[in-house]
Amino acid sequence: MDPRIRRVREADIKAVVELVHALAEYERMSDECTMTPAQLHAALFAPEPALFGHVAEVDGEIVGFTLWFLNFSTFHGAHGIYLEDLFVRPNHRGTGLGRALLTALAEECVTKGYSRLEWSVLDWNTPSIGFYESLGASPRDGWTVYRLTGDALTAAGKDA
């Protein structure tokens, strides 16, 4: 693994939350980003965590991160990694950190026998799309992501 890439530590929480908010600003979704350091800490460092992460560190500063969780392919009968977020500060882009973060996740997959590494990207984010395709990633044509949140999620949960 690239020496600048490592798993998130408890001391990194504040920096990662700041980067999550920077990602939300980049994605034009700042009004939707409400995560706090306490929430991230609880998710990453619970007795049996369901969220995992890596950071990119340069000269002692956290400048990039990934947050990810396991999914499962019923077709392959194996887990995979779903990359929830990847972000590198703009002044550190083009230095290989994004590639190194994705490489760390691919290594997790290979080492643990996971069958896939997947993520979503906004349609307008052509710099990221170009980067992902340069690594050999391909879009899943014919699939549309659906999501229940807020009032719709509450209403659907009341039917249970």
Side-chain angles (χ1 to χ4, degrees):
M1 182 183 303
D2 187 307
R4 301 170 296 174
I5 307 302
R6 62 172 172 75
R7 285 289 188 115
V8 174
R9 298 177 189 147
E10 289 186 76
D12 303 329
I13 294 295
K14 183 178 181 221
V16 173
V17 170
E18 288 173 4
L19 288 171
V20 168
H21 285 270
L23 170 62
E25 185 176 330
Y26 174 77
E27 290 183 343
R28 305 172 195 155
M29 300 172 77
S30 292
D31 58 326
E32 295 181 39
C33 187
T34 61
M35 186 172 65
T36 67
Q39 289 172 315
L40 183 59
H41 186 275
L44 286 170
F45 298 102
E48 294 184 39
L51 181 69
F52 309 93
H54 287 78
V55 294
E57 187 174 27
V58 175
D59 297 327
E61 179 187 3
I62 306 299
V63 299
F65 77 98
T66 62
L67 291 174
W68 54 276
F69 53 88
L70 296 180
N71 58 18
F72 189 81
S73 169
T74 54
F75 288 9
H76 294 145
H79 281 98
I81 287 178
Y82 186 84
L83 172 59
E84 179 65 23
D85 286 321
L86 181 151
F87 182 74
V88 174
R89 288 205 182 273
N91 58 324
H92 288 277
R93 292 184 187 150
T95 64
L97 290 174
R99 179 180 297 270
L101 284 163
L102 279 175
T103 297
L105 298 186
E107 288 174 359
E108 288 271 343
C109 289
V110 171
T111 300
K112 296 187 175 168
Y114 300 158
S115 65
R116 64 186 179 197
L117 169 57
E118 62 186 359
W119 59 91
S120 298
V121 62
L122 293 166
D123 294 340
W124 59 260
N125 194 347
T126 53
S128 293
I129 291 168
F131 168 64
Y132 297 142
E133 289 179 351
S134 77
L135 298 174
S138 58
R140 296 286 300 176
D141 292 334
W143 293 84
T144 300
V145 175
Y146 281 83
R147 179 176 292 168
L148 276 174
T149 61
D151 292 341
L153 177 61
T154 302
K158 287 181 181 175
D159 293 339

